[in-house]
Amino acid sequence: MAGSNIRRKKLATSNRISAYLLHHLQSLMFSLRKIYAAPATTIMTVAVIGITLSLPGGFYLFLKNIDAISGDFRSSSQISLFLDLELSEKQARALDKKISKMELVDSTRFISRDKSLEEFRQDSGFGKSIDTLSSNPLPHTIIVEPGEADTFAVRNLLNSLQAMPEVKIAKLDTEWLERLYTIIEIARRSVVIITVLFSCAVLLIIGNTIRLDIQNRYQEIIVTKLIGATDAFIRRPFLYGGVWYGLLGGIISWLIVEIGYLAISGPLGRLNLLYKSDMNLITFSFHDFIILITSSTLLGLAGSWIAVARHLNQIEPT
Amino acid sequence: MIEFHNVTKRFEGGYEALSNVSLKLDEGHMAFITGHSGAGKSTLLKIIALIEKPTRGQALLNRVNLNTMPRRRVPYIRRNIGIIFQDHQLLFDRNVFDNVSLPLHIQGYRPQEIAKRTRAALDKVGLLHKEKSLPITLSGGEQQRVGIARAVVHKPMLLLADEPTGNLDPELSREIMQIFVDFNQVGVTVLVASHDLDLIDDLDKPRITLNRGKLILNDLEDIAQEADGGWQ
Ligand SMILES: Nc1ncnc2c1ncn2[C@@H]1O[C@H](COP(=O)(O)OP(=O)(O)OP(=O)(O)O)[C@@H](O)[C@H]1O
Ligand SMILES: [Mg+2]
C-alpha cells in the first residue's frame, strides 16, 4: 500500500517534470511561430539588433587585426649599431662575431661601409651625386636581433652595446612602437565603451519590443491569470521571444561584419601584391563567434526579463 | 467551502459595493446570488476568485483566509475554481478547442489527457462539433457555453458563474442552468449570480439577495449573529 503510494508519487513527479519540459518546448515553438507569423516586425527588430551589434563586433575585429600586425613588429625590434669611422672592416667583422656570441643576442648582420653606400646609391636615387663624394661618409653597421622580445631585456642589451668603445651610436627605434601601443590601448578601451553602450541599446530595443508584445497580448495574459497560470508560465513565451531576437540579431551582426571584411579583403590583396607583403585579415574565430552569439542571446534574455518584470506584474484582472 | 465574515468592499472613490456581508456556503451545495444591477453580485464572486480583496472583514475559501493570500499562491487557489465570466473572456485568436483546453495546459497535463478531457467538456455543453471554430464565428449562447466548458474542463471543486444566461433565450438559459445543477449533483459546489428570477424560482435552490451591497435575504445558514463583534 505504502509502496504503491510512493510509486504513484514518483510517477506524478516525473509526469510533472515532463509536463514542465513540454511547456518549455511549447513556449519555444510558440515564440517561434509568432516570429514566423509576424515576419516584418521580427525582421525589423532583428535587423536593428544586428546592425547595432555589428559596430562593436567590427571594431573588435579591427583591433584584433591591428594587434596581430603590431605583434609582427614587436618580434622584429632590431638594434642598429653604427661603428666608429676609424674602424677597419676587419676589426668591425671581429666585433660583429663577438656580439653575435653575446647572451641576449639572437643573430647579427654585418653591413660594410661599401655595401651601405651601394645600397644607399640604389635606394635613394642620388647615385650621381654620391659618386662626387671624395670619401664614404657611412660607417660599418651591425644589425642586432635581440634574443628576447621583452622590452626590458632589449633595453639592457642596448645599454651594454652602447657602452662598447667601438660603437658610435646604438639605436633602438621603439618610440613609434610605444606610440602604436598607446593607440592600440586607446582603441581597446574604446571597444569596451562601444560594446557597453551598444549592448545597452540592444537591451532597450529588445525590452521595448517585448513590452509591445506584452501589450498586444494583454487579454490573453488576463485570461490565463484568471484560470490559474503562474507568473513563470506567463513569462516563459516572452523570455523565449527575447532569446530568439538576441540569437537572430547576433547572427545578423556576424553576417554584417563578415561581409564587411570580405569587402575590405579585396583591396588588401592588391596592397599585398604591391608591397610584396603578407598581411592577412583575421576574421571571427569560432571562439569569437560563439562569444558573440552567446552574449547577444543573453542580452535578449536580459532585455525581455526587464520588460517582463516591469510590465507583466502590473497586469492584473479586475 | 465559502465563508464571509462581515465583508465590506469599498472601491476607490468611497463607493461601498459590499457592506458587512456574512454568509456560508457548504461544500457540495449550490446557491444563487440575485439583486439589481450594481448590487454587488460580481464583486462578491470576484472576492472569492481572488480578483478583489475585501476592504474589511474576512473571506475564507476551504478555511484558507483569502485576505492574506500571498501573490504566488493565488494561481494554485484559482486552479480549484472554475469561473464563468459575465463577459465570456474567450481568446479570439484561437479556436474553441484551444480555448477550452487552456486550463489543462496551464496545469501541465499531457497532450493525450488534454484532448480527452477537452472533448468531454465540449460534449457536455453540446459543442463537440464546433471544436475547430473560432469563437468570433459562434453565437452568444455558444460562446457562453465555450466559457462553461473551459470553467469545468479541469474538474474544479467550486464553480462560480456570473450571469451565465445573460442574453440568452429562455430555452437556452434553462439548458445552461441544468448543466450547473448536473455539476452540483456530482459534488461540485456551485455559486451562480443571476437576475433571471423566473428561472431561479423553478430550480428550488437557496438564494442570496443583495441590495446596494447589503445582504437582504439569505436562505443559507445564517452566521451573521455568531460573527457579531468577533470578526473585524
Ligand atoms: N473596479 C471598480 N471600481 C469602482 N467601482 C466599482 C468597481 N467595480 C464595481 N464597482 C461598483 O460597485 C458596484 C457593484 O458592482 P458589481 O459589478 O458587483 O454589480 P453587479 O451586481 O454585478 O451588477 P450587474 O448585475 O450589472 O452585473 C457598482 O456600483 C459598480 O459601479
Ligand atoms: Mg455583475
Side-chain angles (χ1 to χ4, degrees), chain A residues 14-16 18-20 22-23 26 30 217 219-231 233 312-313 315-318, chain B residues 46 49 51-52 71-72 74-76 78-79 83 85 89-91 93-94 99 102-103 105-111 114 150 154:
Chain A
S14 82
N15 265 351
R16 191 150 301 178
S18 66
Y20 177 80
L22 189 72
H23 183 249
Q26 281 166 346
F30 179 79
R217 291 170 59 199
Q219 188 61 21
E220 183 184 340
I221 293 167
I222 294 275
V223 170
T224 45
K225 277 199 179 185
L226 279 174
I227 57 183
T230 57
D231 288 347
F233 181 94
L312 217 51
N313 287 352
I315 301 178
E316 279 297 336
T318 51
Chain B
K46 281 176 182 171
I51 299 167
E52 300 284 0
R71 199 190 134 81
R72 67 190 158 72
V74 169
Y76 300 99
R78 285 194 183 137
R79 290 178 188 185
I83 313 173
F85 302 94
Q89 297 274 23
L90 299 181
L91 294 176
D93 63 344
R94 59 197 76 189
N99 265 284
L102 204 54
H105 276 294
I106 286 168
Q107 295 183 34
Y109 282 81
R110 297 171 151 277
I114 288 176
R150 188 184 63 191
H154 56 295

Side-chain angles (χ1 to χ4, degrees), chain B residues 38 40-43 86 162-163 193:
Chain B
K41 304 183 292 293
S42 297
T43 306
Q86 197 162 1
D162 197 352
E163 308 284 3

